[in-house]
Amino acid sequence: MKMLGLIALCLATATAVGAQQGGTASHQAEVNRRGAHVMRFDQDATLHRFSLYEDGGAIEVNVKASADKTNLEAIRAHLPHIAAMFAAGDFEAPMLVHDTNVPGTADMTRLRALISYRYVETAHGGRIDIVAADAEAVSAVHRFLRFQIDDHRTGDSTEVRKR
């Protein structure tokens, strides 16, 4: 009887691990699908980058192909809009993309008067510079960006750097 229970436990564990590994690819596909809908640009044709700085961080999105004017224009339309939404404490867009309450956003909303968001056009897309004037706000920004790095699977460093 104990042996049967042990075998059942092993099978359940193997099934759960297999589902997680299979779910990883499908989760990423869902993030990309929702991202394309919310952001209005092709997630596979663009590159997200997230940086953590001592005073906050940055979100950068670039086209992979410099000739890709359609996605370039979409990035440059989306990021200023997102910067304004975030400044108003509205984090609905990342919640829609990730289908969850994104870490850090509740505190970023509460501390919005201590955080600034500045859109900067770059050669291949755009960037939102996020600067926080308070240690608690910086911590919230870092939680938000670390989640983005993980869920978008960008491979960006989660270490805090000087700007």
Side-chain angles (χ1 to χ4, degrees):
M1 196 59 137
K2 286 183 183 181
M3 184 59 99
L4 233 46
L6 184 57
I7 290 170
L9 178 62
C10 288
L11 285 173
T13 303
T15 301
V17 169
Q20 279 182 330
Q21 289 172 346
T24 300
S26 68
H27 173 75
Q28 191 61 45
E30 282 301 302
V31 169
N32 285 345
R33 183 188 62 75
R34 289 188 302 265
H37 175 75
V38 171
M39 296 180 222
R40 304 285 188 216
F41 52 81
D42 185 338
Q43 303 296 288
D44 293 324
T46 57
L47 185 62
H48 285 76
R49 288 285 172 230
F50 303 94
S51 303
L52 283 74
Y53 297 114
E54 292 175 328
D55 65 350
I59 301 166
E60 186 166 352
V61 184
N62 293 302
V63 292
K64 290 180 179 176
S66 56
D68 184 354
K69 301 302 178 204
T70 301
N71 284 306
L72 178 65
E73 290 173 10
I75 290 167
R76 290 179 175 167
H78 174 71
L79 290 181
H81 176 68
I82 289 298
M85 287 177 66
F86 287 7
D90 181 350
F91 292 91
E92 182 180 358
M95 289 181 189
L96 290 171
V97 170
H98 299 284
D99 195 31
T100 190
N101 288 324
V102 177
T105 57
D107 288 333
M108 291 167 73
T109 298
R110 182 175 53 82
L111 301 167
R112 69 181 168 270
L114 302 173
I115 306 172
S116 67
Y117 302 86
R118 184 173 64 98
Y119 170 72
V120 178
E121 189 172 292
T122 64
H124 299 287
R127 184 181 71 242
I128 299 173
D129 289 327
I130 307 168
V131 178
D134 170 272
E136 186 181 7
V138 169
S139 176
V141 170
H142 289 172
R143 286 193 312 277
F144 173 77
L145 293 172
R146 284 185 175 111
F147 174 84
Q148 298 292 334
I149 290 167
D150 182 58
D151 215 41
H152 283 284
R153 294 183 173 84
T154 64
D156 293 322
S157 173
T158 58
E159 297 300 314
V160 177
R161 303 179 283 155
K162 291 184 185 257
R163 196 175 290 271

